[in-house]
């Protein structure tokens, strides 16, 4: 259902904006804010496990997090699938397992494994032919024809823009639905990608990253079809959290909450669960009769 919804969103005019979530809280916030899609960020998923984005979180951890996010929202979820977690056989399993977890679209990149954040130095990429083979395997592995396969290249930092564009065009020819050139470094490069790539283009805007653009209207005017904001929520959460902790540490005063706790629980389905409690007579404490019934 969500994969077909994502296809419908991509068929509309304009650019789809998908803020990043690493958990169910972020997914609910994105849905309640009125966005049309959620992006499961791999970098912040790694941070939520206590690690930098250095390829230290494995397939099962990423797939498990995808399930928690898709279960929490009615929106289609686009998920980071890193390098596909191995060769073409691993890519096939990754696509199918992500589909089983309700993911509507996923991107697979051409970095070597273990990978690292696309906006850090020191990246390496696999040969073009190997990457295109993995994208072909991903496209052919789909059991749901609506699942969106996104080909990501990190070649800009290693081999230059010409190679990045060439990889994207070959990946599209191999069955990818969308092309994702990571970490462009100038406005000229950002504008050039939708002109040179022969298919829909995907843009990643990371606060403090290498891509010098923050106006979504400019990205849409350039012709991008999808823009993800993986660091939007986590940056706000870290900054707000640091401020709150510093205040309590300095003043020994707990900040007054602007939102009652009941209202917060309502944002996560409390009313629906209370209705079920009432329907089935489920009390707060389970009791048993002497005969165990």
């Amino acid at each position: 259902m969500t994969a077909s919804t994502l296809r419908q969103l991509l068929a509309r005019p304009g650019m789809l904006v998908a803020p990043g979530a690493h958990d169910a809280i972020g997914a609910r916030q994105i849905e309640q804010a009125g966005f049309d899609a959620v992006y499961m960020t791999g970098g912040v998923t790694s941070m939520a496990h206590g690690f930098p984005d250095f390829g230290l979180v494995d397939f099962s951890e990423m797939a498990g997090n995808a399930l928690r996010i898709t279960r929490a929202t009615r929106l289609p979820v686009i998920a980071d699938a890193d390098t596909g977690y191995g060769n073409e056989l691993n890519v096939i399993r990754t696509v199918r397992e992500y589909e089983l977890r309700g993911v509507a679209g996923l991107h697979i990149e051409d970095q070597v494994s273990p990978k690292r954040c696309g906006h850090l130095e020191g990246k390496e990429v696999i040969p073009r032919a190997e990457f295109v083979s993995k994208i072909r395997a991903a496209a052919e592995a789909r059991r749901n024809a609506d699942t969106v396969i996104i080909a990501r290249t990190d070649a800009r930092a290693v081999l230059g823009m010409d190679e990045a564009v060439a990889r994207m065009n070959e990946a599209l020819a191999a069955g990818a639905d969308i092309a994702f050139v990571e970490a462009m470094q100038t406005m000229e490069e950002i504008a050039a990608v939708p002109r040179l790539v022969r298919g829909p283009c995907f843009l990643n805007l990371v606060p403090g990253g290498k891509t010098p653009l923050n106006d979504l209207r400019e990205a849409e005017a350039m012709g991008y079809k999808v823009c993800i904001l993986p660091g939007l929520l986590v940056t706000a959460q870290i900054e707000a959290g640091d401020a709150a902790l510093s205040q309590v540490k300095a003043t020994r005063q707990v900040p007054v909450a602007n939102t009652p706790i009941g209202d917060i629980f309502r944002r996560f389905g409390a009313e629906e669960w209370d209705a079920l409690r009432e329907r089935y007579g489920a009390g707060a404490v389970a009791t048993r009769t002497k005969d165990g019934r």
Side-chain angles (χ1 to χ4, degrees), residues 10-12 18 34 36 39 43 51 60 70 95 100 106 141-142 146 188 225 234 237 261 281-283 285:
L10 294 172
R12 294 179 183 175
D36 291 323
Y39 173 65
F51 301 107
S60 61
T70 60
V95 170
L100 287 171
L106 65 154
R142 288 178 283 203
D146 286 328
E188 291 74 20
K225 195 63 194 174
V234 74
Q237 290 165 0
I261 188 65
V285 179

Side-chain angles (χ1 to χ4, degrees), residues 82-113:
D82 295 317
T83 63
Y85 310 104
N87 63 17
E88 289 87 344
L89 302 183
N90 301 99
V91 166
I92 290 167
R93 186 185 175 206
T94 295
V95 170
R96 292 176 178 173
E97 295 290 344
Y98 271 44
E99 285 182 318
L100 287 171
R101 286 157 178 80
V103 169
L106 65 154
H107 64 74
I108 294 172
E109 67 199 57
D110 59 358
Q111 282 198 52
V112 301
S113 184

Side-chain angles (χ1 to χ4, degrees), residues 45-252:
T45 294
S46 185
M47 290 161 58
H49 281 76
F51 301 107
D53 188 12
F54 287 177
L56 298 169
V57 176
D58 64 22
F59 159 75
S60 61
E61 291 168 319
M62 289 288 284
N65 199 40
L67 177 60
R68 285 187 287 274
I69 289 174
T70 60
R71 193 168 54 195
T73 179
R74 292 168 293 184
L75 300 181
V77 175
I78 302 168
D80 188 345
D82 295 317
T83 63
Y85 310 104
N87 63 17
E88 289 87 344
L89 302 183
N90 301 99
V91 166
I92 290 167
R93 186 185 175 206
T94 295
V95 170
R96 292 176 178 173
E97 295 290 344
Y98 271 44
E99 285 182 318
L100 287 171
R101 286 157 178 80
V103 169
L106 65 154
H107 64 74
I108 294 172
E109 67 199 57
D110 59 358
Q111 282 198 52
V112 301
S113 184
K115 54 80 52 91
R116 57 196 290 117
C117 172
H119 290 257
L120 296 179
E121 302 297 334
K123 297 185 293 183
E124 297 178 59
V125 295
I126 61 177
R128 189 198 302 181
E130 183 180 342
F131 170 57
V132 173
S133 179
K134 290 171 75 170
I135 295 301
R136 180 176 293 108
E140 294 176 356
R142 288 178 283 203
R143 288 182 166 144
N144 181 349
D146 286 328
T147 299
V148 175
I149 301 298
I150 302 154
R152 166 178 153 174
T153 181
D154 286 73
R156 157 63 185 88
V158 183
L159 303 171
M161 279 295 294
D162 288 346
E163 176 64 18
V165 169
R167 287 181 179 224
M168 290 296 87
N169 284 327
E170 289 197 24
L172 289 165
D177 298 293
I178 304 178
F180 175 5
V181 177
E182 175 67 305
M184 294 162 286
Q185 298 184 19
T186 68
M187 292 295 292
E188 291 74 20
E189 289 179 352
I190 300 168
V193 166
R195 294 199 310 268
L196 300 174
V197 171
R198 296 188 289 273
C201 293
F202 187 103
L203 180 64
N204 180 20
L205 296 183
V206 176
K210 292 183 177 295
T211 303
L213 179 68
N214 60 10
D215 191 330
L216 299 178
R217 295 165 297 184
E218 286 189 61
E220 185 170 6
M222 290 173 181
Y224 283 92
K225 195 63 194 174
V226 183
C227 180
I228 57 169
L229 307 172
L232 180 68
L233 280 180
V234 74
T235 300
Q237 290 165 0
I238 289 173
E239 291 175 353
D242 284 346
L245 291 166
S246 295
Q247 180 181 339
V248 173
K249 179 71 173 176
T251 67
R252 308 293 288 179

